[in-house]
Amino acid sequence: MEPDIVRKMSSPTPPKRFEGFNYTALKRFLFGEPFPTSKEHHERLDKIRALAVFASDPISSNAYATEAIMSILVLIGSAALSLTMPIALGIAALILLIVFSYTQTIMHYPGGGGAYIVARDNLGTLPSLLAGAALLTDYVLTVSVSVSAGVRAITSAFPAVHDYRVLLAVLAIGLITWANLRGIRESGTIFAFPTYAFVGGVALVIIIGLVRYFGLFGAAPLVSSAPPVAAGGQPVVSLAYTWLILRAFAAGCTALTGIEAISDGVQAFKKPEARNAAITMMVMGGMAMSLFIGITFLATHLHLVPRAEDSILSQMTRTVTGGGFLYYWVQAFTTLILILAANTGFQDFPRLGSFLARDGFLPRWIQNRGDRLVFNYGILLLAFVASVLVIIFRADEIKMLPLYALGVMISFTISQTSMAKLMSKVGQVPPGETVQTKATTIHYEAGWRWKQALSVIGAFTTGVVLLILIVTKFTHGAWIVILAVTLLIWGFRAIRGHYDRVAEALSTRNFSLDNVLDIADVVIIPMADVHRGTLRALKYACRLSNDVRAVSVITSEENKERFMRRWNRFPELTEHVKLVLIEYDFRDILEPLVAYIQHVNEVECPHQMTTIVVPEFVPSSIWAHFLHNQTANILRFRLRGYKDIVVIDVPYHL
Amino acid sequence: MEPDIVRKMSSPTPPKRFEGFNYTALKRFLFGEPFPTSKEHHERLDKIRALAVFASDPISSNAYATEAIMSILVLIGSAALSLTMPIALGIAALILLIVFSYTQTIMHYPGGGGAYIVARDNLGTLPSLLAGAALLTDYVLTVSVSVSAGVRAITSAFPAVHDYRVLLAVLAIGLITWANLRGIRESGTIFAFPTYAFVGGVALVIIIGLVRYFGLFGAAPLVSSAPPVAAGGQPVVSLAYTWLILRAFAAGCTALTGIEAISDGVQAFKKPEARNAAITMMVMGGMAMSLFIGITFLATHLHLVPRAEDSILSQMTRTVTGGGFLYYWVQAFTTLILILAANTGFQDFPRLGSFLARDGFLPRWIQNRGDRLVFNYGILLLAFVASVLVIIFRADEIKMLPLYALGVMISFTISQTSMAKLMSKVGQVPPGETVQTKATTIHYEAGWRWKQALSVIGAFTTGVVLLILIVTKFTHGAWIVILAVTLLIWGFRAIRGHYDRVAEALSTRNFSLDNVLDIADVVIIPMADVHRGTLRALKYACRLSNDVRAVSVITSEENKERFMRRWNRFPELTEHVKLVLIEYDFRDILEPLVAYIQHVNEVECPHQMTTIVVPEFVPSSIWAHFLHNQTANILRFRLRGYKDIVVIDVPYHL
């Protein structure tokens, strides 16, 4: 027969549910009307907006990266704070290297080249899973760290709310979650204003600061908030000293997070996508670097000292501007850009999760999209895990930072190793031809050797930094990340194994319908009592088979008499039915019932499907459920364990 | 056909469930092997044990009743504490009256004469519901108050644990709940020792106290813990003063609680039940009265003052004994008897609840008995409500006392009014004949007039006391009880109304099988994909009907192609099936599916039962459920709202 094809393109109408509470209406109110699948389109971004979208994460790290370095160095002594600047310069160099390396990735994976995809294309499954696990943990941390830092920007301005920071952070996550479930996606306009307002505000503060610091244009020189460090000679260069400097460097590496996001989202750019993305990436890198160095310069030269209740950026802004309008501007947009940075976690995590789910490494439902075409489950999962982190760490992003940046450094290393591998392939393509890999198309490039060298240098450098991060941060929380990543990889493989076994078990290849079990003639209908509902079910059962057995568990003589009296009222139906009465001396009447069913299924009709007709009484209101035994539901649950039992629910509504 | 009767008397074997976790084994471990229904028997109690069982509740009130009076009087001033003794004497007289009145009830309702049953037999439904509601609230309070007072006895001895009293109280409730679920019932031996140990200990303290107080046998006179009250003349007798005295009297009425319990449990006595019960009741009344007056006498003459962290009984015992072995003995057995008193709540509440459930005023499952023949749900309900009360009142029984005793006084009044009514009937029975009421058998009694007079006096007195209780305690929490009782009565009637309507709707009287809907030929099988599981279900569907329609919701071209490719692999099955493909542009594929089913059910086959075959994939472990969409479950849930849709689950296990 030819299939009937029905086309249903109209918006779905809410189904009627139990009266009184319309779940669908509430859902529509909270999250809006569903979008049709076909309406999905990526709004293409021009460079200005794209910069705003992608820069919010890396640029927002300026709110805390300098502080992260300083809060380690201050452990040596406030004299050591002068080392902040050299360390910041080293990190800035690293940003430069990574930006250049990633432009390569963008040019070669215009369809999207996140570390997971690039590694799977070049290095195989395990490295790609490592990259995937590392990035997932990092995206969770992006949310927890950014939201906590955003809340700190508020509590720095209004110290009175400091005690409520955990609550505020969780509420902020809830708000971002809600917005993302509604489907506020990479809509550049929302991002553009706060990002540029933050960049502009901080840049202005830096310029004013520098002008005042150097007394340019006749400005009154800034008075340092602390007296210059007593010149007590250089501290002794010891092992412990080197260790703390390495730790400070590792802490500053948080400034590197978020740089890789563009490589995943090349398709969001206007044509020529790859070129525009590469240019945007370079501008973004330049911006992030300048702000980072500017803030670090002022913070160290103004002799600021990290304090729990007032961030370095806030101290610096207050010192430079004296606490007026510009101060509140910078604080407000610091909060906003940090929350937007958290929002990028809500973009990246569900997307990467859906890739992993598509490949069977995460539960398949992670890739299900909701009414608004977003990955609802990925969003909710991220919100849950990030909230748990925020609660555990009491919304203190400085405590969370040792966990951060580790994942992104793993992904940098893997991604650039993959690119080095890809370049070998590029060098082997005969000129004029193209070769198709799993995820992209390559052709011969004359400069493949130096591009490969760049990737190797990048991979090596980030690899070394990764080692430094692991070693220095290990006892401060990095072990959590390593444990999480290990468990995630183990989980990915276990899930994939399960899906493979299921697919194997369900496969229709080499499958013959003869393998499907026969259906036994016997139909069993449990009947606690004879009433309109069970009679209806009995009539249904009699339609199915000539061997219908009504089974009733009898717990008292009175119970039996009443049953038989009612049973005999309907001879035209019951005379075709074999009645089995089980006299039972315990209260759990389902036990002998299940035992009887099991006996019929396994002994009387082995290797056949046995049918059970369950009369089910459906009360009119959801509250009335509390007034009735849930026998039908419990029976269905108990029968789930039996392979060859088919359960038929015959409902009876009042 | 003659029914097959299977007798299954052996102990049930635990059914196999999902692997890994055996719920039944855990249940057996915690609560023991199930008892057969036929093994139920009430252990008959001799008077010594019966006294212990039933006296624990009324005698335990001695732990706090005197204190309850004093903590009101102290509000007037410590001089007013001397009024404690006259008030206690008034309450003792009330105990005497009630004890005598209840012996009447016991003699006339040897089958059990709780206020609910006696009122239903004589006054009608509404008064019986009032008595039932009042007693239910009081039994809850018995548990909360007794456990809290028991914990206070511990914290009086060990003040260090005072901060953990709420936790201790909830743990104690949990322990009693567990014991009751295991089925520790009126086993006299458990009760006998702590009850007599408490009575003996307190009696000894009172005797030593009196001996020392009066300096008898040459004993050194007791030094009062406080100096004698400054003789400042009598306080002015004002309205406020009278009010506080009434309040103190009302507070002391907690000593009356628990007296009625014997009337419910007459059947627990050895023959002649009624006579033994009546004698026991009188002894119990005498005991409770003596202790109450003894404690009150010493407490007032030693000038003790109520303190939150040290109970009056504890202060008195310490003063009299100097805090040695006898002190810890009394404290220990105070705790134990209070916990035993709480245990009587666990006897009375589920029993009364089951009476109400049997008559359809509470959910029917309240009368379901568990493996150990106890009313599991009643026990759990009581434990839950009592714990909530303990948490709300921070385990402070003095704060809860204004709520207490109100319910029992309502039931006294109703019970005695019922008895007065019954006596009118008794007077009208022709001598030598018997008349059967709903709950007992009566015959003419010569002294019915004076017995009726006693009941009227009892009803009047307890009625007046009830008014005093309501008026004086109203703003201190009695309003909560009145509100709760009102809501309970409303709930009883609503539940009964529901059951009446259900019984009406299910009734087989005047019901013809022709009224049962026909069954439509069409069988619909939703198929997301073609695999072994859905093919098995399809084969099952084809067995049921010749008009099978496989419905698949198609969300993409790729999805459609794959479906058709697999579909066409099994022409021998699929050529008999009509395939309906619904192209749908949203993600919630159940919506068009339900809409299609609804259309077939309402338009194509109106007034017929439509059958839906749902292929259900059952993963091997419970964890694997998280890896699969719950589509079958959600579909079943959504279809519940439709009256004439029969759902067939065809499981496919891996």
Side-chain angles (χ1 to χ4, degrees), chain B residues 56 71 79 115 127 176 193 202 217 224 331 351 403 454 476 478 525 615 642 651:
Chain B
S56 65
S71 48
I176 303 171
F193 184 66
V202 175
F217 312 116
S224 301
Q331 287 307 105
R351 181 165 44 203
L403 284 70
L454 191 72
H476 298 92
I525 170 168
Y642 298 96

Side-chain angles (χ1 to χ4, degrees), chain A residues 601-615:
Chain A
N601 181 232
E602 289 173 5
V603 181
E604 274 193 64
C605 316
H607 309 298
Q608 288 181 303
M609 284 196 264
T610 311
T611 303
I612 317 296
V613 172
V614 178

Side-chain angles (χ1 to χ4, degrees), chain A residues 4 6-7 37-38 365 371 498-499 507-508 532 540 569 579 581 583 585 587 611 626-627 647 649, chain B residues 4 6-7 37-38 365 371 498-499 507-508 532 540 569 581 583 585 587 611 626-628 647 649:
Chain A
D4 275 16
V6 185
R7 219 166 242 110
T37 313
S38 54
W365 41 260
D371 280 346
H498 173 84
Y499 282 129
S507 168
T508 52
R532 295 186 192 191
Y540 189 95
R569 245 179 231 162
L579 178 61
L581 297 179
E583 294 187 350
D585 202 21
R587 275 73 53 208
T611 303
F626 290 102
L627 299 181
V647 174
D649 283 298
Chain B
D4 275 16
V6 184
R7 218 165 244 111
T37 312
S38 56
W365 42 261
D371 281 346
H498 174 83
Y499 282 130
S507 168
T508 52
R532 295 188 192 190
Y540 189 93
R569 244 178 233 163
L581 297 179
E583 293 187 350
D585 201 20
R587 274 74 54 208
T611 304
F626 291 103
L627 299 180
H628 298 275
V647 173
D649 283 298

Side-chain angles (χ1 to χ4, degrees), chain A residues 59-73:
Chain A
I59 284 183
S60 70
S61 0
N62 284 302
Y64 48 78
T66 304
E67 181 159 8
I69 301 175
M70 294 172 80
S71 48
I72 303 287
L73 287 177

Side-chain angles (χ1 to χ4, degrees), chain A residues 32-53:
Chain A
E33 290 296 313
F35 291 141
T37 313
S38 54
K39 284 249 175 87
E40 183 177 45
H41 65 284
H42 280 282
E43 191 190 346
R44 295 301 177 116
L45 299 166
D46 53 43
K47 290 196 283 290
I48 300 292
R49 290 183 179 187
L51 182 61
V53 168

Side-chain angles (χ1 to χ4, degrees), chain B residues 427-543:
Chain B
Q428 284 156 19
V429 179
E433 288 181 28
T434 60
V435 168
Q436 182 69 40
T437 72
K438 274 180 237 154
T440 191
T441 311
I442 52 174
H443 51 81
Y444 183 78
E445 293 169 44
W448 70 272
R449 277 188 194 282
W450 73 259
K451 287 177 184 166
Q452 187 177 36
L454 191 72
S455 296
V456 169
I457 293 169
F460 179 78
T461 314
T462 50
V464 169
V465 173
L466 174 61
L467 274 180
I468 296 175
L469 289 184
I470 292 177
V471 171
T472 57
K473 293 175 161 189
F474 192 82
T475 52
H476 298 92
W479 65 270
I480 302 173
V481 176
I482 290 167
L483 186 68
V485 166
T486 313
L487 287 177
L488 272 175
I489 294 175
W490 175 82
F492 291 157
R493 294 170 67 110
I495 290 171
R496 176 61 185 256
H498 174 83
Y499 282 130
D500 285 347
R501 282 192 301 281
V502 169
E504 177 76 32
L506 292 180
S507 168
T508 52
R509 283 178 210 279
N510 311 320
F511 172 71
S512 155
L513 283 173
D514 301 336
N515 296 341
V516 176
L517 287 189
D518 285 334
I519 296 148
D521 270 324
V522 53
V523 168
I524 299 173
I525 170 168
M527 285 177 81
D529 194 0
V530 181
H531 57 58
R532 295 188 192 190
T534 51
L535 285 170
R536 175 177 152 120
L538 189 60
K539 194 170 167 187
Y540 189 93
C542 288
R543 156 91 178 234

